[in-house]
Amino acid sequence: MPALSGQQEEFLVLQMILLREGLRDVPAMNGMLTAFNDRDLIDIAAYYTAAKPFTSGGPRDTQRYAAGTALSQAMGCDSCHMAGYIGQHQVPRITNQREDYLTSTLKAYRDNKRSGTDTSMNGVMYQTTDADIAALAHYLSHQ
């Protein structure tokens, strides 16, 4: 599961609507939002957005961090996720996100098991190796 604190409000609202309407499949969330109206979801998103952003823990692996830095630059991650990977509007904040979550999400995009509001992430992740995904996730989670 992702860390939600400090996340982009518009992103959270969109994701919760997609979950509520059954347009995004996250088994752990099935049915959890059906009783919530749009205003409720906006309020929930505002709460998490205002919370202190999550900071991942654990030691930084110098080699994986350096590899992730290079990959992030080559893949243009900051073109959508912005400088510092803070996100914008409906694009999530990925800086200091949980490493395990980033790894599984990036693999899901690569393997076409997940898509965003468009398929840009699927295209970016196409043919990315597991090792590259591990390095990228490590780098992003240790900002």
Side-chain angles (χ1 to χ4, degrees):
M1 291 300 190
L4 300 180
S5 59
Q7 189 55 265
Q8 293 291 325
E9 187 170 346
E10 287 180 52
F11 173 76
L12 290 174
V13 171
L14 172 63
Q15 295 307 306
M16 287 188 289
I17 288 172
L18 293 173
L19 290 165
R20 181 188 67 193
E21 302 302 321
L23 299 171
R24 181 164 175 220
D25 184 34
V26 178
M29 292 296 296
N30 286 349
M32 300 267 294
L33 299 172
T34 55
F36 292 88
N37 64 37
D38 289 354
R39 181 77 247 165
D40 294 333
L41 300 182
I42 291 167
D43 290 343
I44 293 167
Y47 171 82
Y48 281 105
T49 297
K52 180 181 177 190
F54 175 80
T55 303
S56 64
R60 181 186 289 181
D61 178 293
T62 306
Q63 285 184 314
R64 282 197 304 159
Y65 189 88
T69 301
L71 283 165
S72 175
Q73 291 169 353
M75 297 171 89
C77 298
D78 63 352
S79 66
C80 295
H81 292 278
M82 306 305 290
Y85 313 106
I86 60 169
Q88 62 170 326
H89 308 290
Q90 295 178 3
V91 177
R93 175 184 184 275
I94 56 174
T95 189
N96 292 320
Q97 182 56 266
R98 291 182 40 195
E99 188 170 348
D100 60 338
Y101 176 75
L102 288 169
T103 299
S104 66
T105 299
L106 294 173
K107 285 181 180 180
Y109 280 122
R110 178 197 63 196
D111 300 339
N112 286 315
K113 294 180 179 175
R114 179 176 177 177
S115 64
T117 54
D118 60 36
T119 58
S120 59
M121 279 298 299
N122 304 85
V124 169
M125 296 310 298
Y126 180 70
Q127 293 188 332
T128 305
T129 67
D130 284 351
D132 285 348
I133 287 173
L136 191 56
H138 185 77
Y139 166 70
L140 292 169
S141 70
H142 287 83
Q143 294 298 297

